[in-house]
Amino acid sequence: MATAQNKPMDLLRFATAGSVDDGKSTLIGRLLLDSKSIFEDQLEAVEATSEAKGYDYTDLALLTDGLRSEREQGITIDVAYRYFATPARKFIIADTPGHVQYTRNMVTGASTADLGLVLVDARQGLTEQSRRHALILSLLRVPHLVLAVNKMDLVDFSQEVFDKIHAEFTQFATKLNIPDLQVIPISALAGDNVVNRSENMGWYQGPTLMHHLEHVHVASDRDLIDARFPVQYVVRPKSDEFHDYRGYGGQVAGGVLKQGDEVVVLPSGMTSKIAGIDLFDKEIDMAFPPMSVTIRLEDDVDVSRGDMIARVNNAPTATQDIDAMVCWMTTAPLLPKAKLAIKHTTRNGRVMVKDIQYRLDVNTLHRDQETKQLGVNEIGRVQLRCTVPLLVDPYSKNRTTGSFILIDETTGVTVGAGMING
Amino acid sequence: MTETHADYQLSQLDQLEAESIHIFREVAAEFEKPVLMFSGGKDSIVMLRLAEKAFYPAKIPFSILQVDTGLDFPEVMETRDRWVQRLGINLVVASIDDAIKNGIIPDAAKISRNRLQIPTLLNAIEENGFTAAFGGGRRDEEKARAKERVYSHRDEFGQWDPKNQRPELWSLYNGRLHEGEHMRIFPISNWTELDVWDYIGREQIEIPSIYFSHQRRVFERDGMLMTETPLNPMREGEVASERTVRFRTCGDITLTGCVESTASTIEEIIDEVAIARVTERGATRGDDKFSEAAMEDRKKEGYF
């Protein structure tokens, strides 16, 4: 496992965003095609459709437009996941629509991403939408951002055009929280700087998009200091062979846990030591994110689903008062006094909205304190009071223990996504 | 930071495994009566293995459900029985023949068995009161699946509404249901065909022998190699001959074609898959060929 002799193939999850006409679907098609991840039958179907539509080129966008309604409208309407691999890495793309009313889909795609890829059309330069996409990626704490300046072929591969967009974006990015930014000039249609280095832009010295995706360092994005283990499931076989076995199944959300570590179980505050960590039928030395393991404790303390195992001197905050940025995802607005169900790690509760402090204008970053409500696809700072204490960290420190979803208790639908401040 | 991050690297296969185990535990904790839909194919066997790992040393805390089409490969049934016995789990069989006999579905000889799986499955879910059904669907398989959630909501008619899916964020899954509804759960959504084979190879787990190269009498139909069997009468002009073949998917014997292959070990299959130029469904599944939107339509009706 972690001690593999040769370097194991790792995984990069990235989210793409762009407007309908920025060529995002074409770019993904290009990545899949040039990395030889497209199968012949898929390519043949797309070639046939392109021809039937009277195009004189193969419309790579058709490779990713999944649902029939999308094909009819010619736009991507929901988050779609794509997969490809190179000898260096496996990639999972969360392909999200760039269209204005679909902020919720972008938030969804960005929530699990290591890297965000924003596309702009070189002829248009930065638009409201590209700024909004960058802001959402920064709010969701996606640690790496790539701005791909597309359609360079249509501006004669001009360095001047590229430099201007580059400078403008860098200026805007200073207002955001983007630890790592890479700006790349490309042509998705022609393939320049996507997988193969462009012969038309000798002035560009940086990596191709694929090279960057293959080599961007993501392992250190995880928090390996603050041990967090939300208990998911109590494993009690009650069999003859494992009569007294009692283990706590879960996925490590932070830090490194080892046998013998002194731990505290929250919210009870009981302390114990880790007796052992099991991964299926093997006992392992240590567990770190994102491993799913079963932890046994030395003492017979009361532990159940929704509890969190942490270190004695380094525990999350147990609180019923939550201050968070909330992205609202349903048509009926979020109003003060609203009551909703909440799911945070493996813990469920109910919350009441105490206050909506401000609504964030995702285009200008302006904080609107007058509008005391959040409409669909709006993001704002919200104070919540929960029926049970939640065991939280700031989202900026831990994307697992710092996030939650809000659920409408009548419809059962997920209506909000929250990132805890602090 | 003083830690060297390289020591805490998890391979992509281990990351996928961890994610799937998380999903299995989440469902077992939050749903009243889950069930695992088992086809006998490699994907459902990988699911069984992941479920075994998620709850070990306890037994898997739910039953497995199989739709018996009456047209399944005997080798697949044998493998199924060995897995069921080894894990000591409860097997629920929903038979299409029984469903026809009991008048639950019409005896429409002209309709493919594949179509009849849908009402048979939905009836079994309803009758047994299953609230969550694990399926082995992967998002790399097909364009409609690429958009489906890990927790995929089904209304009281078992239907999927692709335009009205719940947002799914982080690893926070929302399993809320109303009376009569159920959830389809896809714990290996993010696995590719190659990942599945890599995992089978790594875990050394048993899969049906038809996945490996063997001699079989086959005939060509619609560009696919079909098994010669009384269950699937040959049409005029079709000629059977013995060839060296293997199957890339396990389904209804009358619709599932095989490919010529000499791959007789997992390693050889992995080599073959890694350079394959046609999708596994495109190559060998008659049920997906009818229209470009075939899978989307069947999914909306409540297909796996």
Side-chain angles (χ1 to χ4, degrees), chain A residues 109-131:
Chain A
S111 72
T112 52
D114 306 303
L115 179 145
L117 174 61
V118 176
L119 252 91
V120 296
D121 183 330
R123 295 170 302 176
Q124 314 268 323
L126 290 191
T127 59
E128 247 183 50
Q129 231 180 83
S130 34
R131 289 193 182 87

Side-chain angles (χ1 to χ4, degrees), chain A residues 100-264:
Chain A
V100 58
Q101 65 263 49
Y102 293 112
T103 300
R104 73 168 213 181
N105 293 328
M106 242 213 89
V107 170
T108 302
S111 72
T112 52
D114 306 303
L115 179 145
L117 174 61
V118 176
L119 252 91
V120 296
D121 183 330
R123 295 170 302 176
Q124 314 268 323
L126 290 191
T127 59
E128 247 183 50
Q129 231 180 83
S130 34
R131 289 193 182 87
R132 180 165 61 235
H133 292 154
L135 170 72
I136 290 172
L137 291 165
S138 118
L139 262 178
L140 272 287
R141 298 275 169 175
V142 177
H144 308 275
L145 180 73
V146 174
L147 179 74
V149 181
N150 192 21
K151 306 196 184 182
M152 287 300 292
D153 52 323
L154 300 181
V155 294
D156 296 327
F157 300 103
S158 156
Q159 180 175 9
E160 201 183 322
V161 171
F162 174 76
D163 285 348
K164 186 170 164 285
I165 295 171
H166 191 324
E168 202 185 336
F169 189 80
T170 311
Q171 169 72 21
F172 172 70
T174 55
K175 290 190 262 180
L176 307 175
N177 199 308
I178 298 168
D180 172 39
L181 170 67
Q182 181 76 46
V183 187
I184 306 176
I186 64 165
S187 166
L189 196 66
D192 293 72
N193 285 340
V194 179
V195 172
N196 302 312
R197 178 158 287 279
S198 170
E199 287 171 12
N200 301 306
M201 290 180 274
W203 47 265
Y204 173 72
Q205 303 298 317
T208 63
L209 177 60
M210 182 68 97
H211 186 272
H212 185 66
L213 294 174
E214 282 185 317
H215 295 94
V216 63
H217 189 65
V218 292
S220 51
D221 297 336
R222 293 166 303 166
D223 176 359
L224 292 173
I225 304 293
D226 309 298
R228 302 287 185 266
F229 188 77
V231 175
Q232 238 193 320
Y233 192 89
V234 181
V235 180
R236 270 189 306 166
K238 296 178 200 154
S239 60
D240 291 342
E241 196 186 344
F242 297 96
H243 193 265
D244 296 322
Y245 188 98
R246 189 183 170 92
Y248 307 105
Q251 188 165 21
V252 183
V256 179
L257 294 153
K258 294 188 174 108
Q259 191 190 354
D261 280 356
E262 279 194 53
V263 291
V264 60

Side-chain angles (χ1 to χ4, degrees), chain A residues 15-17 79 81 94 96-97 102-113 132-133 135-137 139-140 142 325-329 362 377-379 395 399 404-405 416-419, chain B residues 167-170:
Chain A
T16 55
V79 188
Y81 294 88
T96 64
Y102 293 112
T103 300
R104 73 168 213 181
N105 293 328
M106 242 213 89
V107 170
T108 302
S111 72
T112 52
R132 180 165 61 235
H133 292 154
L135 170 72
I136 290 172
L137 291 165
L139 262 178
L140 272 287
V142 177
M325 297 303 290
V326 168
C327 173
W328 191 244
M329 301 175 153
V362 290
N377 289 309
E378 290 186 337
I379 296 169
Y395 184 76
R399 289 169 84 186
F404 59 83
I405 55 170
M419 291 147 282
Chain B
E168 201 159 70
L169 299 110
W170 298 288

Side-chain angles (χ1 to χ4, degrees), chain B residues 73-86:
Chain B
F73 289 91
E75 295 91 337
V76 174
M77 296 299 98
E78 287 160 22
T79 305
R80 175 198 75 186
D81 292 342
R82 278 192 289 273
W83 271 90
V84 166
Q85 201 185 11
R86 187 173 70 76

Side-chain angles (χ1 to χ4, degrees), chain A residues 38 40-41 70 83 90, chain B residues 22 26 147 190 195 277 279:
Chain A
I38 297 293
E40 271 167 23
D41 51 334
E70 289 174 58
Y83 304 83
K90 174 178 170 176
Chain B
H22 172 84
E26 213 43 29
K147 310 228 154 172
N190 286 326
D195 294 330
R277 298 306 304 142
T279 58

Side-chain angles (χ1 to χ4, degrees), chain B residues 138 250 295:
Chain B
R138 307 188 320 263
C250 277
M295 178 76 106

Side-chain angles (χ1 to χ4, degrees), chain B residues 169-182:
Chain B
L169 299 110
W170 298 288
S171 50
L172 291 168
Y173 301 103
N174 171 5
R176 300 245 169 175
L177 293 173
H178 290 110
E179 186 72 33
E181 300 174 342
H182 73 277

Side-chain angles (χ1 to χ4, degrees), chain B residues 24-38:
Chain B
F24 272 110
R25 287 170 169 168
E26 213 43 29
V27 172
E30 291 205 321
F31 286 86
E32 225 165 285
K33 200 172 178 188
V35 70
L36 186 148
M37 297 190 289
F38 187 77

